[in-house]
Amino acid sequence: MGRHTWGKTVGALVLAATVAAASGCSSSDDEGSGKPSATAAAKAKTVTVEAATTKFQDAVTAFDTDGGCLEQEPGTCWDQMMALMTPARDLRQAMNAEKSVGADFWTEAYTLIDTMETGIAVGEDQGAPAGAATLPEATNRDDVLGSAHKLSDWLDQHPLA
């Protein structure tokens, strides 16, 4: 009999905690707290296409100036790949927010960024095996680094006026 009462008590406490937590999640108290909403924060974080383009192209230039990725061993180029991917993602956000041109204008740029994402999705630098320059799709470096350079060229050829 004692176990039955204890079980009911614990069950009631769990139910009360669940109801309290659920009602706290939908509270409108945050509206007057002075905290920005998630959408306001997202809008504030979005940069212009011009600023995102400059940041991305600066990253490509820095990659080239620093010597690129000279090591063939796997894992030696991941930081450089991510240093290009991060501003590419910011550029995509800025392109999505840009209303002066339609999505069709960005088709090739989106495709190049998607190819970069495919290379990053592997989760690591696969390296550059001997003869990689003559083998198609030999490494995810081609997806990330090659597409980054193509995107930089595309941006030079398609400035927003």
PDB file of all heavy atoms in Angstrom, residues 138-160:
ATOM      1  N   ALA A 138      38.812  13.558 -56.959  1.00  0.00           N
ATOM      2  CA  ALA A 138      39.733  12.760 -56.172  1.00  0.00           C
ATOM      3  C   ALA A 138      39.694  13.113 -54.685  1.00  0.00           C
ATOM      4  O   ALA A 138      40.096  12.313 -53.865  1.00  0.00           O
ATOM      5  CB  ALA A 138      41.151  12.930 -56.704  1.00  0.00           C
ATOM      6  N   THR A 139      39.202  14.297 -54.333  1.00  0.00           N
ATOM      7  CA  THR A 139      39.265  14.730 -52.954  1.00  0.00           C
ATOM      8  C   THR A 139      38.195  15.775 -52.678  1.00  0.00           C
ATOM      9  O   THR A 139      37.738  16.458 -53.597  1.00  0.00           O
ATOM     10  CB  THR A 139      40.666  15.293 -52.647  1.00  0.00           C
ATOM     11  OG1 THR A 139      40.686  15.813 -51.326  1.00  0.00           O
ATOM     12  CG2 THR A 139      41.059  16.388 -53.594  1.00  0.00           C
ATOM     13  N   ASN A 140      37.826  15.895 -51.418  1.00  0.00           N
ATOM     14  CA  ASN A 140      36.848  16.939 -51.084  1.00  0.00           C
ATOM     15  C   ASN A 140      37.483  18.328 -51.113  1.00  0.00           C
ATOM     16  O   ASN A 140      36.780  19.329 -51.082  1.00  0.00           O
ATOM     17  CB  ASN A 140      36.192  16.654 -49.738  1.00  0.00           C
ATOM     18  CG  ASN A 140      37.134  16.675 -48.552  1.00  0.00           C
ATOM     19  OD1 ASN A 140      38.331  16.407 -48.668  1.00  0.00           O
ATOM     20  ND2 ASN A 140      36.588  16.968 -47.398  1.00  0.00           N
ATOM     21  N   ARG A 141      38.788  18.398 -51.182  1.00  0.00           N
ATOM     22  CA  ARG A 141      39.449  19.696 -51.342  1.00  0.00           C
ATOM     23  C   ARG A 141      39.008  20.377 -52.636  1.00  0.00           C
ATOM     24  O   ARG A 141      38.846  21.588 -52.664  1.00  0.00           O
ATOM     25  CB  ARG A 141      40.974  19.533 -51.354  1.00  0.00           C
ATOM     26  CG  ARG A 141      41.554  19.226 -50.012  1.00  0.00           C
ATOM     27  CD  ARG A 141      43.061  19.183 -50.084  1.00  0.00           C
ATOM     28  NE  ARG A 141      43.627  18.738 -48.824  1.00  0.00           N
ATOM     29  CZ  ARG A 141      44.916  18.609 -48.615  1.00  0.00           C
ATOM     30  NH1 ARG A 141      45.787  18.897 -49.562  1.00  0.00           N
ATOM     31  NH2 ARG A 141      45.352  18.205 -47.432  1.00  0.00           N
ATOM     32  N   ASP A 142      38.852  19.599 -53.688  1.00  0.00           N
ATOM     33  CA  ASP A 142      38.414  20.178 -54.957  1.00  0.00           C
ATOM     34  C   ASP A 142      37.042  20.835 -54.805  1.00  0.00           C
ATOM     35  O   ASP A 142      36.815  21.924 -55.332  1.00  0.00           O
ATOM     36  CB  ASP A 142      38.345  19.110 -56.050  1.00  0.00           C
ATOM     37  CG  ASP A 142      39.716  18.533 -56.377  1.00  0.00           C
ATOM     38  OD1 ASP A 142      40.728  19.228 -56.168  1.00  0.00           O
ATOM     39  OD2 ASP A 142      39.764  17.379 -56.836  1.00  0.00           O
ATOM     40  N   ASP A 143      36.143  20.150 -54.093  1.00  0.00           N
ATOM     41  CA  ASP A 143      34.803  20.701 -53.893  1.00  0.00           C
ATOM     42  C   ASP A 143      34.857  22.024 -53.145  1.00  0.00           C
ATOM     43  O   ASP A 143      34.195  22.986 -53.516  1.00  0.00           O
ATOM     44  CB  ASP A 143      33.913  19.722 -53.112  1.00  0.00           C
ATOM     45  CG  ASP A 143      33.481  18.534 -53.935  1.00  0.00           C
ATOM     46  OD1 ASP A 143      33.545  18.597 -55.171  1.00  0.00           O
ATOM     47  OD2 ASP A 143      33.063  17.524 -53.321  1.00  0.00           O
ATOM     48  N   VAL A 144      35.651  22.081 -52.100  1.00  0.00           N
ATOM     49  CA  VAL A 144      35.688  23.274 -51.253  1.00  0.00           C
ATOM     50  C   VAL A 144      36.582  24.352 -51.859  1.00  0.00           C
ATOM     51  O   VAL A 144      36.138  25.474 -52.121  1.00  0.00           O
ATOM     52  CB  VAL A 144      36.144  22.929 -49.823  1.00  0.00           C
ATOM     53  CG1 VAL A 144      36.214  24.184 -48.967  1.00  0.00           C
ATOM     54  CG2 VAL A 144      35.198  21.905 -49.188  1.00  0.00           C
ATOM     55  N   LEU A 145      37.827  24.028 -52.068  1.00  0.00           N
ATOM     56  CA  LEU A 145      38.795  25.034 -52.503  1.00  0.00           C
ATOM     57  C   LEU A 145      38.584  25.464 -53.951  1.00  0.00           C
ATOM     58  O   LEU A 145      38.629  26.655 -54.263  1.00  0.00           O
ATOM     59  CB  LEU A 145      40.220  24.517 -52.298  1.00  0.00           C
ATOM     60  CG  LEU A 145      40.549  24.027 -50.882  1.00  0.00           C
ATOM     61  CD1 LEU A 145      41.940  23.439 -50.825  1.00  0.00           C
ATOM     62  CD2 LEU A 145      40.369  25.144 -49.876  1.00  0.00           C
ATOM     63  N   GLY A 146      38.350  24.496 -54.822  1.00  0.00           N
ATOM     64  CA  GLY A 146      38.113  24.827 -56.234  1.00  0.00           C
ATOM     65  C   GLY A 146      36.850  25.650 -56.408  1.00  0.00           C
ATOM     66  O   GLY A 146      36.830  26.650 -57.134  1.00  0.00           O
ATOM     67  N   SER A 147      35.778  25.253 -55.726  1.00  0.00           N
ATOM     68  CA  SER A 147      34.514  25.988 -55.832  1.00  0.00           C
ATOM     69  C   SER A 147      34.627  27.379 -55.224  1.00  0.00           C
ATOM     70  O   SER A 147      34.007  28.327 -55.716  1.00  0.00           O
ATOM     71  CB  SER A 147      33.385  25.210 -55.158  1.00  0.00           C
ATOM     72  OG  SER A 147      33.160  24.004 -55.855  1.00  0.00           O
ATOM     73  N   ALA A 148      35.421  27.524 -54.167  1.00  0.00           N
ATOM     74  CA  ALA A 148      35.616  28.844 -53.564  1.00  0.00           C
ATOM     75  C   ALA A 148      36.267  29.789 -54.559  1.00  0.00           C
ATOM     76  O   ALA A 148      35.855  30.955 -54.686  1.00  0.00           O
ATOM     77  CB  ALA A 148      36.462  28.731 -52.296  1.00  0.00           C
ATOM     78  N   HIS A 149      37.250  29.314 -55.279  1.00  0.00           N
ATOM     79  CA  HIS A 149      37.916  30.156 -56.274  1.00  0.00           C
ATOM     80  C   HIS A 149      36.975  30.470 -57.448  1.00  0.00           C
ATOM     81  O   HIS A 149      36.958  31.599 -57.943  1.00  0.00           O
ATOM     82  CB  HIS A 149      39.206  29.504 -56.758  1.00  0.00           C
ATOM     83  CG  HIS A 149      40.308  29.621 -55.759  1.00  0.00           C
ATOM     84  ND1 HIS A 149      40.481  28.734 -54.725  1.00  0.00           N
ATOM     85  CD2 HIS A 149      41.282  30.563 -55.613  1.00  0.00           C
ATOM     86  CE1 HIS A 149      41.514  29.114 -54.001  1.00  0.00           C
ATOM     87  NE2 HIS A 149      42.025  30.220 -54.515  1.00  0.00           N
ATOM     88  N   LYS A 150      36.184  29.491 -57.857  1.00  0.00           N
ATOM     89  CA  LYS A 150      35.209  29.739 -58.931  1.00  0.00           C
ATOM     90  C   LYS A 150      34.159  30.754 -58.478  1.00  0.00           C
ATOM     91  O   LYS A 150      33.752  31.619 -59.249  1.00  0.00           O
ATOM     92  CB  LYS A 150      34.533  28.430 -59.352  1.00  0.00           C
ATOM     93  CG  LYS A 150      35.433  27.502 -60.124  1.00  0.00           C
ATOM     94  CD  LYS A 150      34.728  26.192 -60.446  1.00  0.00           C
ATOM     95  CE  LYS A 150      35.683  25.199 -61.075  1.00  0.00           C
ATOM     96  NZ  LYS A 150      35.036  23.886 -61.280  1.00  0.00           N
ATOM     97  N   LEU A 151      33.732  30.645 -57.230  1.00  0.00           N
ATOM     98  CA  LEU A 151      32.750  31.591 -56.695  1.00  0.00           C
ATOM     99  C   LEU A 151      33.338  32.997 -56.631  1.00  0.00           C
ATOM    100  O   LEU A 151      32.664  33.976 -56.972  1.00  0.00           O
ATOM    101  CB  LEU A 151      32.269  31.148 -55.311  1.00  0.00           C
ATOM    102  CG  LEU A 151      31.270  32.052 -54.604  1.00  0.00           C
ATOM    103  CD1 LEU A 151      30.001  32.257 -55.441  1.00  0.00           C
ATOM    104  CD2 LEU A 151      30.910  31.475 -53.239  1.00  0.00           C
ATOM    105  N   SER A 152      34.573  33.111 -56.236  1.00  0.00           N
ATOM    106  CA  SER A 152      35.227  34.416 -56.192  1.00  0.00           C
ATOM    107  C   SER A 152      35.271  35.034 -57.588  1.00  0.00           C
ATOM    108  O   SER A 152      34.981  36.232 -57.762  1.00  0.00           O
ATOM    109  CB  SER A 152      36.639  34.275 -55.618  1.00  0.00           C
ATOM    110  OG  SER A 152      37.258  35.533 -55.540  1.00  0.00           O
ATOM    111  N   ASP A 153      35.606  34.230 -58.585  1.00  0.00           N
ATOM    112  CA  ASP A 153      35.610  34.716 -59.973  1.00  0.00           C
ATOM    113  C   ASP A 153      34.209  35.121 -60.408  1.00  0.00           C
ATOM    114  O   ASP A 153      34.019  36.153 -61.055  1.00  0.00           O
ATOM    115  CB  ASP A 153      36.149  33.637 -60.924  1.00  0.00           C
ATOM    116  CG  ASP A 153      37.639  33.360 -60.715  1.00  0.00           C
ATOM    117  OD1 ASP A 153      38.329  34.204 -60.096  1.00  0.00           O
ATOM    118  OD2 ASP A 153      38.096  32.287 -61.154  1.00  0.00           O
ATOM    119  N   TRP A 154      33.208  34.302 -60.055  1.00  0.00           N
ATOM    120  CA  TRP A 154      31.823  34.604 -60.427  1.00  0.00           C
ATOM    121  C   TRP A 154      31.391  35.938 -59.807  1.00  0.00           C
ATOM    122  O   TRP A 154      30.735  36.753 -60.465  1.00  0.00           O
ATOM    123  CB  TRP A 154      30.887  33.476 -59.980  1.00  0.00           C
ATOM    124  CG  TRP A 154      29.488  33.673 -60.442  1.00  0.00           C
ATOM    125  CD1 TRP A 154      28.933  33.224 -61.610  1.00  0.00           C
ATOM    126  CD2 TRP A 154      28.451  34.401 -59.776  1.00  0.00           C
ATOM    127  NE1 TRP A 154      27.622  33.624 -61.700  1.00  0.00           N
ATOM    128  CE2 TRP A 154      27.300  34.352 -60.585  1.00  0.00           C
ATOM    129  CE3 TRP A 154      28.369  35.098 -58.578  1.00  0.00           C
ATOM    130  CZ2 TRP A 154      26.090  34.947 -60.237  1.00  0.00           C
ATOM    131  CZ3 TRP A 154      27.176  35.700 -58.219  1.00  0.00           C
ATOM    132  CH2 TRP A 154      26.057  35.630 -59.048  1.00  0.00           C
ATOM    133  N   LEU A 155      31.754  36.158 -58.560  1.00  0.00           N
ATOM    134  CA  LEU A 155      31.384  37.401 -57.890  1.00  0.00           C
ATOM    135  C   LEU A 155      32.029  38.608 -58.566  1.00  0.00           C
ATOM    136  O   LEU A 155      31.401  39.675 -58.666  1.00  0.00           O
ATOM    137  CB  LEU A 155      31.775  37.352 -56.407  1.00  0.00           C
ATOM    138  CG  LEU A 155      30.960  36.373 -55.558  1.00  0.00           C
ATOM    139  CD1 LEU A 155      31.645  36.132 -54.223  1.00  0.00           C
ATOM    140  CD2 LEU A 155      29.535  36.864 -55.366  1.00  0.00           C
ATOM    141  N   ASP A 156      33.260  38.451 -59.043  1.00  0.00           N
ATOM    142  CA  ASP A 156      33.913  39.532 -59.788  1.00  0.00           C
ATOM    143  C   ASP A 156      33.165  39.844 -61.080  1.00  0.00           C
ATOM    144  O   ASP A 156      33.052  41.009 -61.478  1.00  0.00           O
ATOM    145  CB  ASP A 156      35.358  39.148 -60.145  1.00  0.00           C
ATOM    146  CG  ASP A 156      36.308  39.242 -58.964  1.00  0.00           C
ATOM    147  OD1 ASP A 156      35.989  39.984 -57.982  1.00  0.00           O
ATOM    148  OD2 ASP A 156      37.358  38.574 -59.005  1.00  0.00           O
ATOM    149  N   GLN A 157      32.649  38.808 -61.726  1.00  0.00           N
ATOM    150  CA  GLN A 157      31.966  38.963 -63.008  1.00  0.00           C
ATOM    151  C   GLN A 157      30.513  39.394 -62.862  1.00  0.00           C
ATOM    152  O   GLN A 157      29.900  39.821 -63.851  1.00  0.00           O
ATOM    153  CB  GLN A 157      32.042  37.649 -63.804  1.00  0.00           C
ATOM    154  CG  GLN A 157      33.442  37.249 -64.160  1.00  0.00           C
ATOM    155  CD  GLN A 157      33.523  35.796 -64.617  1.00  0.00           C
ATOM    156  OE1 GLN A 157      32.524  35.103 -64.708  1.00  0.00           O
ATOM    157  NE2 GLN A 157      34.738  35.345 -64.894  1.00  0.00           N
ATOM    158  N   HIS A 158      29.936  39.268 -61.674  1.00  0.00           N
ATOM    159  CA  HIS A 158      28.512  39.575 -61.464  1.00  0.00           C
ATOM    160  C   HIS A 158      28.321  40.495 -60.257  1.00  0.00           C
ATOM    161  O   HIS A 158      27.632  40.129 -59.297  1.00  0.00           O
ATOM    162  CB  HIS A 158      27.711  38.290 -61.254  1.00  0.00           C
ATOM    163  CG  HIS A 158      27.754  37.372 -62.430  1.00  0.00           C
ATOM    164  ND1 HIS A 158      28.758  36.432 -62.601  1.00  0.00           N
ATOM    165  CD2 HIS A 158      26.928  37.253 -63.496  1.00  0.00           C
ATOM    166  CE1 HIS A 158      28.538  35.774 -63.724  1.00  0.00           C
ATOM    167  NE2 HIS A 158      27.441  36.249 -64.286  1.00  0.00           N
ATOM    168  N   PRO A 159      28.895  41.680 -60.293  1.00  0.00           N
ATOM    169  CA  PRO A 159      28.702  42.585 -59.158  1.00  0.00           C
ATOM    170  C   PRO A 159      27.272  43.098 -59.124  1.00  0.00           C
ATOM    171  O   PRO A 159      26.626  43.232 -60.173  1.00  0.00           O
ATOM    172  CB  PRO A 159      29.697  43.707 -59.428  1.00  0.00           C
ATOM    173  CG  PRO A 159      29.827  43.715 -60.918  1.00  0.00           C
ATOM    174  CD  PRO A 159      29.680  42.284 -61.363  1.00  0.00           C
ATOM    175  N   LEU A 160      26.788  43.368 -57.950  1.00  0.00           N
ATOM    176  CA  LEU A 160      25.462  43.993 -57.835  1.00  0.00           C
ATOM    177  C   LEU A 160      25.629  45.481 -58.140  1.00  0.00           C
ATOM    178  O   LEU A 160      26.477  46.139 -57.580  1.00  0.00           O
ATOM    179  CB  LEU A 160      24.897  43.836 -56.421  1.00  0.00           C
ATOM    180  CG  LEU A 160      24.194  42.546 -56.112  1.00  0.00           C
ATOM    181  CD1 LEU A 160      23.605  42.586 -54.707  1.00  0.00           C
ATOM    182  CD2 LEU A 160      23.096  42.243 -57.095  1.00  0.00           C
TER     183      LEU A 160
END
